[in-house]
């Protein structure tokens, strides 16, 4: 619900448990008043401290700079006395960089604004506040949008800039949100990593100064994610305040928390201002990406569940969002580039016999690509590996009752490709300088429509000639030698434009995006692809951390996760086959291996694993996630107990069904069973479940207060999975016959 208190000139957005309040100060400044636990609308503008000398903005012109440098602004600009980080910057054609954004008008309406060409939230139950401000010098107008969706503790913010003046303007900084929180009692949780080690979690106290994470790679990156949370020091997984910030964007970003001289916190997120520019001729409009601000009083868990629900119900559009997705087998770790028709058919035969529903042909099927040295840009099947094209293979696969999926890397071009030989200018580069190769490839200039068309025509030919029901859209390098500052964002818009075309013309294709593993694992891509390959590291132990980090802000059903062989190709580690499946079920679930090389014992487990996944897929999709363990917990000598385990559960929205998974990371000799308390269940409901071959019926209260006893398991990385179902009776503590 959104209210405007006329007298106080105050805007208030209320969600089930939170309120977000902004107000107009003298002279048309839009100031931040409050974000926190829900409160009934009332005049809260005293919190702005506007009467405290020397800040009175209009009465004390002499101290205007002091006011600017500490007032809590909703969309701060630099150059007029606010020395904290600005949210907005521009330069007019005649060189004016000073900007004075002041309130002009506001609107409150049902529905929401849709930023042009960008992924965005949508759907029923939206209400929006739009506040328009104008720069009195250039005429530029900035409209800040704030949307709330019924039932969700989230505020979607974005900014739209319109050149309503007569001079061309260059935008140099347009963040999506800036929030001036009134205190400093925060810790900052962020995600960091690298290739094959994505989304590690770090949490640290805020320090005076700026704490920034960002990307200048042209993608959201392996290294940092466009998400962070501010937490109270006492906030835990299931209690305490958490303030989440997640940007719906897949290119350069920056996020920052700045602890100021008055012990206040300015939290910001948006497109990376460094090396950013956008030309805005008179009459033109620029939309910044949306960002979702989430408030939780139930710790990190509550914050994550709100993000999951928000993205599932108001961001992902694919019809596959609510469908059981086929269990796939991908040939990448099975064959890499070394395959031919016969080998693929043999793998497909075994996979089909085990009940796998989708065969995905990964890299190496086109041009003359025997390694990653060539052929990107030439999307025609390699006649040496696939004589007669894709048809003999797809005929074979579909005859087995399986679906067929295909890998593309549409944004790339190899120097050794017909496309490059014909159009060297299609690759991003700065004239007069060398292009830097990465994985022996260049990036196509997707800001140019003709370049996108050249790739699309080839993709379309393939899609119209073969029964492709799944696409893996990869992107395996970062941008270099970017010739102009407008290209970073123009590139991302181009990628979105082509993805939009793909999902519009082929709406039923299941699209999985990917970027050298998880370098573009962000909500922006969820708008096009309901699942994203999370990491090239398929080691179950590493995946515990990667998937934990990913689940903080992304829905588990979007986390691409596969069972692969051991020793694992990324780490050399051995883990039990069963555990690998349990961990991959905490995501999309599939196999990435040569089934022919599995032991009989491993192979025999596959049909049951598939059956289990089909039974629980709806829980991973629409259940509420509770993280019960901590794969980052130290197990060194300082640890007081052997807390070296991970566990999580999904509870169906009606509370009648739940899936609990436990992984003992390190075995300990001579220990008793471990008691793990569950979460999210209905205390009154009795649940039936089987643990170690014995059936139990216990109430949710018992399971949440007393827990289940997991026996000390023999071996590292052993796991237990329990499916709990409501019995329909009121529960009592008893063991069933
Ligand atoms: C990237 C992907 C892998 C695989 C290879 C193929 O690294 O993340 O899954 O598709 O490319 O080259």
């Amino acid at each position: 619900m959104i209210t405007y208190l006329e007298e106080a000139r105050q805007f208030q957005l209320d969600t089930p448990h939170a309120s977000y309040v902004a107000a107009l100060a003298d002279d048309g400044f839009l100031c931040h008043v409050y974000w926190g636990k829900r409160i009934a609308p009332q005049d809260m503008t005293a919190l702005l401290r506007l009467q405290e000398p020397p800040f009175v903005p209009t009465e004390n012109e002499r101290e205007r700079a002091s006011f600017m440098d500490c007032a809590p602004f909703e969309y701060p600009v630099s150059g007029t006395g606010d020395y904290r980080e600005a949210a907005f910057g521009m330069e007019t054609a005649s060189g004016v960089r000073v900007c004075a954004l002041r309130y002009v008008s506001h609107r409150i309406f049902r529905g929401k604004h849709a930023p042009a060409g960008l992924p965005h939230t949508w759907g029923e139950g939206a209400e929006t506040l739009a506040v328009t401000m104008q720069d009195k010098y250039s005429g530029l107008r900035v409209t800040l949008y704030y949307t709330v969706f019924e039932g969700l503790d989230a505020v979607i913010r974005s900014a739209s800039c319109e050149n309503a003046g007569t001079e061309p303007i260059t935008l140099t900084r347009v963040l999506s949100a800036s929030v001036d929180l009134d205190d400093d009692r925060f810790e900052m949780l962020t995600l960091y990593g690298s290739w094959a080690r994505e989304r590690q979690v770090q949490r640290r106290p805020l320090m005076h100064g700026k704490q920034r994470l960002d990307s200048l790679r042209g993608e959201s990156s392996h290294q940092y994610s466009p998400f962070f949370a501010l937490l109270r020091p006492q906030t835990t997984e299931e209690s305490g305040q958490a303030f989440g910030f997640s940007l719906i964007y897949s290119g350069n970003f920056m996020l920052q928390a700045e602890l100021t001289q008055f012990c206040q916190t300015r939290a910001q997120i948006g497109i990376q201002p460094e090396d950013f520019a956008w030309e805005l001729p008179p009459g033109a409009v620029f939309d910044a990406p949306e960002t979702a601000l989430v408030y939780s009083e139930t710790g990190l868990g509550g914050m994550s569940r709100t993000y999951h629900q928000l993205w599932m119900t108001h961001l992902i559009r694919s019809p596959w969002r609510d469908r059981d997705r086929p269990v796939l087998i991908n040939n990448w770790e099975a064959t890499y580039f070394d395959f031919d028709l016969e080998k693929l058919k043999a793998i497909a035969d075994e996979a089909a016999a085990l009940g796998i529903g989708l065969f995905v042909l990964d890299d190496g099927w086109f041009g003359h690509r025997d390694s990653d040295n060539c052929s990107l840009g030439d999307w025609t099947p390699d006649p040496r590996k696939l004589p007669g094209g894709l048809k003999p293979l797809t005929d074979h696969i579909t005859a087995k009752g399986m679906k067929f999926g295909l890998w593309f890397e549409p944004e790339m071009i190899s120097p050794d490709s017909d496309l490059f030989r014909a159009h060297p200018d299609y690759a991003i580069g700065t004239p007069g300088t060398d292009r830097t190769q990465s994985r022996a490839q260049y990036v196509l200039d997707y800001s140019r429509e003709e370049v996108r068309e050249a790739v699309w025509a080839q993709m379309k030919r393939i899609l119209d000639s073969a029964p492709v029901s799944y696409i893996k859209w990869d992107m395996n390098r970062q941008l270099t030698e970017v010739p102009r500052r407008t290209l970073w964002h123009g590139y991302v818009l181009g990628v979105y434009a082509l993805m939009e075309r793909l999902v519009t013309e082929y709406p039923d294709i299941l699209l999985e995006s990917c970027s050298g593993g998880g370098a573009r694992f962000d909500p922006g891509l969820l708008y096009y692809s309901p699942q994203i390959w999370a990491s090239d590291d398929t080691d179950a132990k590493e995946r515990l951390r990667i998937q934990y980090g990913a689940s903080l802000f992304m829905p588990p059903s979007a986390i691409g996760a596969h069972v692969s062989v051991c020793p694992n190709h990324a780490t050399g580690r051995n883990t039990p086959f069963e555990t690998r499946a349990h961990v991959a079920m905490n995501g999309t679930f599939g196999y990435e291996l040569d089934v022919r090389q599995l032991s009989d014992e491993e192979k025999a487990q596959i049909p049951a694993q598939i059956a289990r996944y089909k039974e629980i897929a709806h829980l991973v999709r629409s259940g509420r996630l509770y993280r019960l363990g901590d794969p980052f917990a130290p197990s060194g000598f300082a640890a007081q107990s052997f807390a070296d385990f991970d566990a999580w559960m999904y509870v169906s929205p009606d509370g009648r069904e739940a899936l609990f998974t436990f992984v003992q990371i390190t075995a300990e000799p001579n220990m008793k069973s471990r008691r793990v308390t569950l979460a999210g269940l209905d205390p009154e409901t009795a649940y039936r479940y089987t643990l170690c071959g014995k059936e139990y019926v216990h109430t949710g209260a018992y399971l949440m207060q007393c827990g289940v006893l997991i026996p000390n398991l023999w071996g590292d990385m052993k796991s237990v999975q329990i499916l709990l179902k409501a019995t329909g009776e009121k529960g009592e503590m008893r063991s069933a016959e």
Side-chain angles (χ1 to χ4, degrees):
M1 197 178 61
I2 303 178
T3 30
Y4 177 60
L5 296 184
E6 186 84 47
E7 216 152 281
R9 295 196 297 163
Q10 180 185 300
F11 307 101
Q12 178 154 346
L13 295 98
D14 289 317
T15 59
H17 306 96
S19 297
Y20 186 106
V21 182
L24 296 167
D26 286 357
D27 228 9
F29 292 104
L30 181 64
C31 292
H32 181 77
V33 178
Y34 174 85
W35 184 25
K37 189 179 173 66
R38 186 167 172 163
I39 185 165
Q42 56 202 285
D43 185 344
M44 297 171 76
T45 51
L47 292 174
L48 293 176
R49 299 192 179 84
L50 290 178
Q51 303 317 317
E52 286 181 28
F55 306 144
V56 184
T58 43
E59 286 169 17
N60 195 347
E61 218 27 90
R62 203 177 75 87
E63 294 300 346
R64 173 59 70 112
S66 305
F67 163 76
M68 293 302 293
D69 208 19
C70 73
F73 292 118
E74 278 294 293
Y75 209 59
V77 294
S78 60
T80 54
D82 184 349
Y83 294 99
R84 298 162 290 179
E85 186 91 14
F88 181 78
M90 54 140 231
E91 182 167 356
T92 65
S94 50
V96 177
R97 291 185 295 132
V98 175
C99 171
L101 289 176
R102 297 290 190 279
Y103 171 85
V104 182
S105 64
H106 74 269
R107 270 189 322 137
I108 295 172
F109 57 97
R110 306 287 320 167
K112 70 182 291 292
H113 168 72
L118 286 165
H120 57 84
T121 54
W122 52 271
E124 297 295 300
E127 197 181 359
T128 298
L129 162 69
V131 183
T132 299
M133 298 182 291
Q134 188 154 25
D135 171 32
K136 65 176 174 185
Y137 308 117
S138 65
L140 178 98
R141 273 194 209 126
V142 175
T143 300
L144 300 183
Y145 290 99
Y146 301 78
T147 296
V148 290
F149 285 104
E150 232 160 73
L152 285 164
D153 283 316
V155 176
I156 314 294
R157 280 192 63 173
S158 69
S160 181
C161 313
E162 184 197 346
N163 186 347
T166 50
E167 246 196 303
I169 288 173
T170 304
L171 300 173
T172 54
R173 164 189 294 261
V174 190
L175 296 188
S176 296
S178 183
V179 185
D180 280 341
L181 297 157
D182 197 45
D183 67 271
D184 61 350
R185 297 184 313 279
F186 292 111
E187 295 182 347
M188 187 178 188
L189 181 139
T190 52
L191 301 174
Y192 70 96
S194 183
W195 172 78
R197 240 181 324 104
E198 297 90 340
R199 272 153 278 287
Q200 310 291 305
V201 181
Q202 79 185 348
R203 179 174 175 169
R204 60 200 150 142
L206 272 195
M207 309 287 276
H208 277 274
K210 297 172 181 176
Q211 285 109 106
R212 170 190 289 224
L213 270 67
D214 61 4
S215 165
L216 246 176
R217 295 167 185 269
E219 58 180 2
S220 46
S221 88
H222 297 100
Q223 286 70 18
Y224 306 116
S225 293
F227 155 79
F228 72 108
L230 293 177
L231 312 169
R232 298 302 182 185
Q234 66 274 18
T235 297
T236 66
E237 180 62 28
E238 290 300 334
S239 72
Q241 284 185 314
F243 300 82
F245 299 77
S246 178
L247 187 67
I248 307 177
Y249 190 61
S250 312
N252 289 351
F253 74 89
M254 88 90 160
L255 60 87
Q256 182 169 291
E258 178 179 5
L259 190 48
T260 71
Q261 57 182 331
F262 298 111
C263 299
Q264 292 159 324
T265 304
R266 175 167 284 182
Q268 298 177 311
I269 195 162
I271 291 182
Q272 165 74 280
E274 190 179 334
D275 213 28
F276 166 82
W278 199 258
E279 305 301 339
L280 210 60
V285 174
F286 173 86
D287 281 330
E290 290 190 342
T291 189
L293 276 45
V294 163
Y295 174 76
S296 159
E297 286 167 1
T298 48
L300 281 170
M303 177 199 71
S304 299
R305 288 186 288 277
T306 300
Y307 275 122
H308 300 167
Q309 221 180 318
L310 177 64
W311 303 148
M312 288 299 279
T313 52
H314 295 293
L315 183 62
I316 301 179
R317 299 174 297 169
S318 167
W320 286 99
R321 179 189 73 176
D322 305 320
R323 286 188 198 157
D324 281 350
R325 304 185 202 157
V327 173
L328 66 77
I329 183 151
N330 176 303
N331 75 311
W332 177 242
E333 284 199 28
T335 66
Y336 296 103
F337 294 102
D338 180 18
F339 61 81
D340 58 17
L341 178 62
E342 291 317 309
K343 198 192 245 186
L344 298 176
K345 276 161 69 174
I347 295 175
D349 288 349
E350 287 255 10
L354 294 166
I356 294 174
L358 167 68
F359 182 92
V360 177
L361 178 55
D362 209 279
D363 195 356
W365 58 268
F366 51 92
H368 57 105
R369 191 159 161 95
D370 293 332
S371 76
D372 53 14
N373 270 331
C374 66
S375 301
L376 294 167
D378 297 344
W379 300 103
T380 42
D382 180 347
R384 298 165 309 149
K385 294 181 187 169
L386 297 165
L390 291 172
K391 196 164 184 317
L393 177 65
T394 57
D395 281 352
H396 185 84
I397 283 168
T398 48
K400 296 266 162 201
M402 285 173 112
K403 303 264 185 219
F404 176 71
L406 198 57
W407 181 96
F408 286 96
E409 198 179 354
E411 298 155 66
M412 295 294 150
I413 183 165
S414 304
D416 177 5
S417 67
D418 292 342
L419 188 66
F420 188 76
R421 281 181 283 273
H423 302 284
D425 63 299
Y426 280 9
I428 291 175
T430 296
T433 69
D434 292 339
R435 290 188 182 99
T436 302
Q437 289 194 15
S438 174
R439 214 189 191 213
Q441 64 199 55
Y442 302 134
V443 185
L444 286 166
D445 183 350
Y446 258 43
S447 69
R448 291 168 58 185
E449 196 175 348
E450 64 190 306
V451 174
R452 301 196 299 266
E453 284 302 321
V455 178
W456 177 245
Q458 297 185 58
M459 283 179 81
K460 195 165 166 49
R461 204 174 318 123
I462 296 282
L463 299 180
D464 291 341
S465 71
V468 178
S469 62
Y470 161 107
I471 287 178
K472 179 171 167 189
W473 178 312
D474 209 340
M475 193 273 194
N476 275 321
R477 64 155 289 180
Q478 289 102 38
L479 278 56
T480 53
E481 290 88 32
V482 170
R484 42 187 196 284
R485 290 183 295 158
T486 52
L487 180 59
W488 295 108
H489 182 60
Y491 176 80
V492 179
L493 290 179
V495 172
Y496 289 150
L498 200 61
M499 285 191 176
E500 184 66 31
R501 190 141 181 205
L502 174 63
V503 301
T504 308
E505 292 191 25
Y506 301 90
D508 243 19
I509 287 184
L510 171 56
L511 180 60
E512 174 156 354
S513 58
C514 171
S515 182
R520 242 179 6 195
F521 190 87
D522 57 64
L525 285 189
L526 288 181
Y527 189 66
Y528 309 93
S529 60
Q531 57 191 58
I532 307 177
W533 184 230
S535 177
D536 280 344
D537 187 344
T538 50
D539 176 291
K541 184 168 184 227
E542 300 300 306
R543 277 293 182 134
L544 292 177
R545 292 183 168 192
I546 294 167
Q547 293 176 189
Y548 178 107
S551 77
L552 282 167
F553 72 119
M554 293 281 273
S557 66
I559 300 176
H562 297 166
V563 176
S564 63
V565 294
C566 280
N568 180 270
H569 292 190
T571 60
R573 184 179 286 125
N574 288 304
T575 53
F577 194 68
E578 185 183 37
T579 307
R580 280 176 259 158
H582 286 164
V583 173
M585 283 185 204
N586 191 19
T588 57
F589 192 64
Y591 296 86
E592 187 162 333
L593 41 73
D594 186 343
V595 259
R596 298 171 308 165
Q597 283 162 16
L598 295 178
S599 68
D600 288 345
E601 193 205 323
E602 288 172 331
K603 244 188 272 181
Q605 294 180 46
I606 291 183
Q609 289 172 352
I610 294 173
R612 169 49 71 96
Y613 191 67
K614 287 187 174 158
E615 204 181 353
I616 57 104
H618 69 283
L619 288 172
V620 180
R621 259 197 334 265
S622 63
R624 310 277 179 258
L625 173 72
Y626 292 84
R627 290 177 295 255
L628 308 174
D630 178 0
F632 296 93
S635 53
F637 68 87
Q640 292 297 305
S641 67
F642 73 143
D644 201 5
F645 73 92
D646 197 5
W648 59 90
M649 56 190 293
Y650 294 97
V651 182
S652 64
D654 64 5
R656 308 279 304 162
E657 222 186 330
L659 176 77
F660 166 83
T661 309
F662 170 92
V663 181
Q664 171 181 282
I665 297 173
T666 318
E668 296 267 335
N670 187 28
M671 285 300 286
K672 297 217 175 300
S673 59
R674 191 181 331 225
R675 182 134 71 92
V676 183
T677 48
L678 308 195
L681 300 169
D682 173 27
E684 303 285 306
T685 297
Y687 296 89
R688 188 186 305 280
Y689 63 98
T690 305
L691 173 59
C692 298
K694 193 165 159 51
E695 193 174 275
Y696 298 89
V697 175
H698 283 128
T699 60
Y702 172 90
L703 292 162
M704 293 192 290
Q705 291 161 226
C706 309
V708 290
L709 293 176
I710 307 291
N712 188 22
L713 303 165
W714 176 255
D716 291 349
M717 287 299 292
K718 280 289 174 64
S719 60
V720 170
Q721 204 181 53
I722 303 174
L723 192 53
L724 301 105
K725 293 203 178 186
T727 60
E729 317 150 18
K730 279 280 172 206
E732 50 186 282
M733 295 197 306
R734 66 179 162 83
S735 160
E737 275 66 21

